[in-house]
Amino acid sequence: MIPSTSTDDARNITSVALQSERAFLEACSKNAPAFEKQEYARTLKCGKAHIPIECFSTKVKGNASRKFKAIVELPNITPMQLMDFIGDNAHRKTWDKNIANLEEVVIAEGDEIESIGHSVGNPNQNFKEGSKDQVHARCVVLRCQTKQVGPVAGRDFVDAMIVKALGNGAVFSAGGSLSRSEAGAIFPETKGLVRGFNMYGCGMFMENISVQEGRPCTRMQYIIHSDLKGWFLPAVVNNVLGGSFCAFFECLINALVARGYDIADSGR
């Protein structure tokens, strides 16, 4: 059972999510510093689909694990359709081979988020329910439990996340892990899993980049920067993270095709 959160808890959790949102949007902007290396780039083929995936990584001062960013363009699906597909936690457990379990609790929605943002000195200037900039927002706590990958045992992440739908059709989710005590109060640690930590600024941004003959094409940016904890060489951690990152897209594209989405080569 997921315990209820107090007003102070909700305020603190939403504050973490808003800080992560700001860091994430900065990393997605055109003026963001370039990532140093392109690694794990590949073209995935599934039936008629030929989907190139760009995958970059960069060093982060004071942290041994690298920060990863992937960019993919998926034709014939809207940003909202894609976000809803990935955000269906029960269904995702059936197609994402790295996921063991997902649980979510809603902390705040709509005007509550704006109010908390102003009270903690972190107002979101783009947030106004019903405005052309934003049409919906919610703050959630998500527990993501992963399976063992190579020598790295299963991990357990508890993140505060902001999920927003914008008036221009773009959608995004952005978040970072709660402190161990905050996370434990909502989702106690699970025996056999190591509690990892996602840095502020992780997330997914999806926008419609074109409509050809009435068909959309969604550009997705996905950023992760995780501390897996434990005693591993940085090279081992980075290889596991990079490999899992790209495996996610392979699983996603196969699942979309299985669901009936025509993710076919659009000639782009």
Side-chain angles (χ1 to χ4, degrees):
M1 179 179 292
I2 299 171
S4 60
T5 55
S6 69
T7 300
D8 285 344
D9 288 338
R11 182 172 178 270
N12 292 337
I13 291 168
T14 305
S15 177
V16 169
L18 288 170
Q19 291 177 64
S20 292
E21 174 197 26
R22 179 171 294 178
F24 172 71
L25 292 178
E26 288 175 354
C28 288
S29 72
K30 295 179 181 179
N31 297 323
F35 279 56
E36 298 167 352
K37 298 172 63 178
Q38 175 155 251
E39 303 168 295
Y40 308 102
R42 63 183 70 180
T43 297
L44 297 181
K45 183 178 180 180
C46 184
K48 296 185 296 180
H50 296 270
I51 309 293
I53 299 173
E54 299 176 272
C55 186
F56 306 87
S57 72
T58 190
K59 293 180 180 178
V60 178
K61 187 176 180 179
N63 197 293
S65 63
R66 296 180 72 86
K67 186 175 184 178
F68 290 86
K69 179 178 183 178
I71 300 173
V72 64
E73 294 179 6
L74 298 174
N76 304 318
I77 189 168
T78 68
M80 183 60 75
Q81 287 174 325
L82 184 57
M83 180 65 82
D84 286 345
F85 188 89
I86 295 173
D88 183 342
N89 293 332
H91 184 226
R92 183 173 172 182
K93 289 186 288 185
T94 69
W95 58 261
D96 191 335
K97 67 181 183 181
N98 289 324
I99 296 296
N101 188 42
L102 291 163
E103 295 178 77
E104 180 181 297
V105 57
V106 177
I107 300 299
E109 294 187 273
D111 290 339
E112 295 176 272
I113 299 174
E114 182 182 28
S115 177
I116 292 171
H118 282 285
S119 71
V120 298
N122 185 26
N124 182 341
Q125 298 301 320
N126 289 328
F127 180 82
K128 190 170 181 60
E129 195 74 21
S131 75
K132 66 178 181 178
D133 297 313
Q134 183 168 307
V135 295
H136 182 66
R138 72 181 189 275
C139 175
V140 304
V141 173
L142 177 70
R143 170 156 72 176
C144 176
Q145 296 177 322
T146 65
K147 299 176 182 177
Q148 180 165 338
V149 179
V152 180
R155 260 46 184 176
D156 180 19
F157 298 91
V158 179
D159 296 347
M161 294 177 55
I162 290 284
V163 183
K164 290 185 176 179
L166 307 181
N168 62 3
V171 294
F172 69 87
S173 64
S177 289
L178 295 171
S179 69
R180 195 159 189 167
S181 60
E182 289 175 320
I186 301 175
F187 290 113
E189 296 188 37
T190 301
K191 185 176 180 180
L193 296 177
V194 177
R195 179 140 288 178
F197 192 90
N198 286 321
M199 311 300 177
Y200 288 3
C202 297
M204 302 177 184
F205 190 95
M206 305 167 192
E207 60 184 329
N208 193 20
I209 57 173
S210 71
V211 177
Q212 297 179 356
E213 299 178 354
R215 297 181 300 173
C217 183
T218 294
R219 183 176 189 264
M220 174 180 170
Q221 296 185 68
Y222 185 13
I223 295 175
I224 60 169
H225 184 205
S226 302
D227 183 347
L228 298 182
K229 304 299 183 181
W231 300 98
F232 291 101
L233 293 172
V236 173
V237 172
N238 291 322
N239 282 335
V240 167
L241 288 172
S244 298
F245 199 34
C246 287
F248 162 81
F249 285 101
E250 186 171 3
C251 292
L252 171 63
I253 290 170
N254 287 333
L256 286 169
V257 171
R259 180 58 70 90
Y261 285 99
D262 183 18
I263 311 297
D265 191 344
S266 62
R268 291 182 58 82

